[in-house]
Amino acid sequence: MIVELGHFALVLAALVACIQMIVPMVGAARRWPGWMAVAVPAATAQFVLVAASFAALTYAFVTSDFSLRLVVLNSHTAKPMLYKVSGVWGNHEGSMLLWVLILALFGACAAWFGANLKPSLKARVLAVQASISVAFYAFILATSNPFTRLATPPMNGEDLNPLLQDPGLAFHPPFLYLGYVGLSMAFSFAVAALIEGRVDAAWGRWVRPWTLAAWIFLTIGIGLGSWWAYYELGWGGFWFWDPVENASFMPWLLAAALLHSAIVVEKREALKSWTILLAIMAFGFSLIGTFLVRSGVITSVHAFANDPERGVFILFILAVFMGGALTLFAARAGAMQAKGVFAMISRESALVANNVLLAVSAFVVFVGTIWPLLAELAFGRKLSVGAPFFDAAFTPFIVALTAILPIGAMLPWKRGNLTRTMQPLWGVLALSLAGGALVWVMQTGGSMLAPVGFTLATWVTLGALTDLWSRTGRGGLSGRVRRLRNLPGADWGKTIAHIGLAVTVFGISGLTAWESEDIRVAQIGERFGHAGYEIELRDVLRVPGPNYVATLATMAVWRDGKEVAVLHPEKRVYPVAQMPTTEAGIDNGILRDVYLVIGDPQEGGGYAVRTYIKPFANWIWAGCIIMGLGGIASLSDRRYRVAAGARKRATGVTGVPAE
């Protein structure tokens, strides 16, 4: 009964979304207040209905209702409760239901917190958001219904993909979806502004918190996915440049560009056309990611489906929304004239450079991701584009971005003086270069990656702190500290996020340059050395788990004659899915990780053992956390929550949160 109610609620949500798509849009065109007002209750009702539908599907998984096809394919009675719940979205159909739930949530939030929006703009934003929902409701109900029943239910299910039975992967998809779908709000605001024919400072201020929220969720989601790949897959890496990894990374890059571009619109009413285009493309790349994951055109451990029919449907959605938005953009581009002019040396120019580097780097990732598909279609050749291409093509853009970041952040608006801006940064530059030279000397030659990474990380970190301190003005220390505490959340958020980027850059460069690897066959009781550590394989046991059987090793790690850790790497086999997984044993540290993997027993006795020493590995995810905290600090800025100022109302600017 509950499942049927969930199915009915999903159909009803689709009908409400159709009303929300049509009635407010017509009302805005005809200036009918009553019709425009329909948007808010419709958005609320749609969210309540799809939330009820999602709750019904969750109930089916928790209670192991094997009359439901989706539960049979993705659950099992022996599975731990966490993975019964995560099984709801650990498959194609359930993940699409989560997708429309988040779409409805963002639309409802815009309805609830958009009291300061001009009624016609608000109606159009919610109508555009509903149109996206309608497309995905049609996709779910036509090709991916999660409530399909089985005529003869089995006694038990086929279990969830063992790779997804992990805490990191339980929460990774929801965060990614919050980021992917969050960008739909920026898209809806862009299309609504194009329909109205007006983009101004108030629009830039309103679109920033939505983009920022999506960027935060993407940062957390990508970080969780990278962390999971690091400890779960047993290959010792943190990023494989897998097509599905890239599918989440490209919207992240474009969302970062959009955040910075919207600042220029808000502060200077410049870069309007470019900002609108970024909002369209950021969500467009989210849809491209959806297509890659669900069409079957790529093979990946991240992929949800292998169904060309579904892929064609998603491709149609992508074509309709991107084609329609870009056509509207072309028709309205002439109306979005920039008001603010600026010199070549100015903060606006620095933000333009920032945007160009981020956008081109996203395009480079896109080309590397899609080229094997194009080559196979056009030339019938199977090609592989891997880490060497991405490392060589992507890295220069990040180096350039981090190099200009502290200078651009301190340049004044409209017109700046590079000599004056550099005055407080010369010492920072000298200290950064000296630190890089010291790292070069200490590593006794070798790769330049780590010294360059340390130099750039120090430059960005100290530059961000210098910028923050410069905002306290002049005077005594106590006064400047007091003003420092009273700085807006956006200033603190920018500094924290930039420091997080620096930490991640150094973590990646240090790990890549200095990690070491040892692969051997080890006998039980044998002790061997690697990179200043001694590893002892003490025992190997077969241990039953809740729904798997594990080969569990006990391995001691020694340093300078002292035991520093006892690790338990595992190799698990899930009998129902007939699939193995690897659980690395990791001794985490601030400066290094000791990373051990147990392999298969060998014919001559012993076990295959892989040992990695990974310097600064945890700095990568620490940087992601710091970037996320910076985004949260910016989002807490009260200027995003107060009403539009009377000055902007008087000039006829659309009412949104303003300073």
Side-chain angles (χ1 to χ4, degrees), residues 250 253 356-366 393-394 397-398:
M250 290 183 288
L253 291 168
V356 169
L357 290 169
L358 286 169
V360 174
S361 63
F363 179 73
V364 167
V365 176
F366 175 70
F394 180 80
F397 294 103
I398 295 302

Side-chain angles (χ1 to χ4, degrees), residues 458-547:
T458 307
W459 166 244
V460 171
T461 299
L462 297 181
L465 293 174
T466 301
D467 177 34
L468 190 69
W469 184 250
S470 70
R471 295 177 182 275
T472 61
R474 300 181 181 275
L477 179 62
S478 60
R480 298 189 73 171
V481 170
R482 184 177 64 255
R483 288 192 291 273
L484 189 67
R485 291 199 304 266
N486 295 329
L487 285 175
D491 288 344
W492 278 101
K494 180 181 75 171
T495 300
I496 295 169
H498 288 176
I499 290 173
L501 174 64
V503 171
T504 295
V505 165
F506 177 64
I508 292 172
S509 60
L511 173 60
T512 305
W514 293 329
E515 71 174 333
S516 60
E517 176 184 4
D518 176 80
I519 302 176
R520 67 174 66 221
V521 175
Q523 304 291 333
I524 294 178
E526 178 185 353
R527 184 183 296 191
F528 58 91
H530 175 64
Y533 291 86
E534 291 185 312
I535 316 296
E536 180 184 355
L537 178 59
R538 288 183 173 172
D539 201 3
V540 179
L541 301 172
R542 285 184 64 81
V543 178
N547 60 334

